[in-house]
Amino acid sequence: MRLALVCVGKLKAGPERLLFDRYLKRLKEGARSAGLAGVDVREIGESRARRPDERRAEEGAAILAAAPKGGALVLLDERGAPATSEEWAADIGRARDGSRPVYAVAIGGPDGLDSSLGAAAHRIVSFGAMTWPHQLVRVMAGEQLYRAMTILAGHPYHRR
């Protein structure tokens, strides 16, 4: 199974990019030890539609098109259910062990995710009730995916 991070918007140069790249490198280097075939990052351009609901709809369609078919689609949304690192790692492990081809994590644009994505989602996860900037959500997702991979591999990074 592959991990995929599907993001609306581009991560520009800066400290967030450096931190995200650090976790992505670690994740790619350790993926095989957790039984993962690899990691992909797919960036989708932000919609230029005038209205927020139109932007969300266009970006939602682009997320669905970018998320590989037959996989588990996980949406990161402030209205989702909170999950511990261990719970998220276990969910990834179940998808891996269930022969899913991909576990795709989607991060929406500035206007959030289109409600139509909920029907296609395996689950909706929240990093808390607060709204986070896209750049920080991408860093947090990268770190949590890396942490999940280390939990699955029995690596000591996650100490509890």
Side-chain angles (χ1 to χ4, degrees), residues 23 26 143 146-147 150 155-159:
Y23 287 117
R26 290 178 182 178
E143 192 281 336
Y146 172 68
R147 182 176 298 274
T150 63
H155 186 278
Y157 177 79
H158 181 72
R159 294 176 181 92

Side-chain angles (χ1 to χ4, degrees), residues 79-90:
R79 294 165 299 222
T84 66
S85 298
E86 292 93 345
E87 290 167 344
W88 205 10

Side-chain angles (χ1 to χ4, degrees), residues 1-4 22-39 84-94 96 103 105 140-158:
M1 180 183 82
R2 295 186 72 77
L3 289 179
R22 179 186 309 167
Y23 287 117
L24 181 62
K25 180 178 184 231
R26 290 178 182 178
L27 184 57
K28 286 181 174 184
E29 289 173 350
R32 193 161 304 282
S33 67
L36 303 172
V39 182
T84 66
S85 298
E86 292 93 345
E87 290 167 344
W88 205 10
D91 191 54
I92 293 169
R94 283 188 297 274
R96 177 200 61 199
Y103 190 93
V105 178
M140 292 179 349
E143 192 281 336
Q144 283 300 299
L145 289 170
Y146 172 68
R147 182 176 298 274
M149 185 268 309
T150 63
I151 291 169
L152 292 171
H155 186 278
Y157 177 79
H158 181 72

Side-chain angles (χ1 to χ4, degrees), residues 53-99:
D53 59 332
E54 292 172 352
R55 285 192 296 272
R56 283 190 298 270
E58 284 181 14
E59 292 167 355
I63 287 170
L64 286 177
K69 306 301 176 238
L73 176 62
V74 177
L75 307 177
L76 293 182
D77 188 279
E78 65 202 30
R79 294 165 299 222
T84 66
S85 298
E86 292 93 345
E87 290 167 344
W88 205 10
D91 191 54
I92 293 169
R94 283 188 297 274
R96 177 200 61 199
D97 298 344
S99 299

Side-chain angles (χ1 to χ4, degrees), residues 93-149:
R94 283 188 297 274
R96 177 200 61 199
D97 298 344
S99 299
R100 293 276 195 143
V102 68
Y103 190 93
V105 178
I107 300 172
D111 296 305
L113 294 164
D114 191 59
S115 60
S116 68
L117 288 171
H122 162 67
R123 87 188 280 192
I124 303 172
V125 175
S126 170
F127 282 156
M130 295 180 179
T131 302
W132 295 97
H134 176 86
Q135 297 89 341
L136 290 181
V137 171
R138 195 174 314 189
V139 170
M140 292 179 349
E143 192 281 336
Q144 283 300 299
L145 289 170
Y146 172 68
R147 182 176 298 274
M149 185 268 309

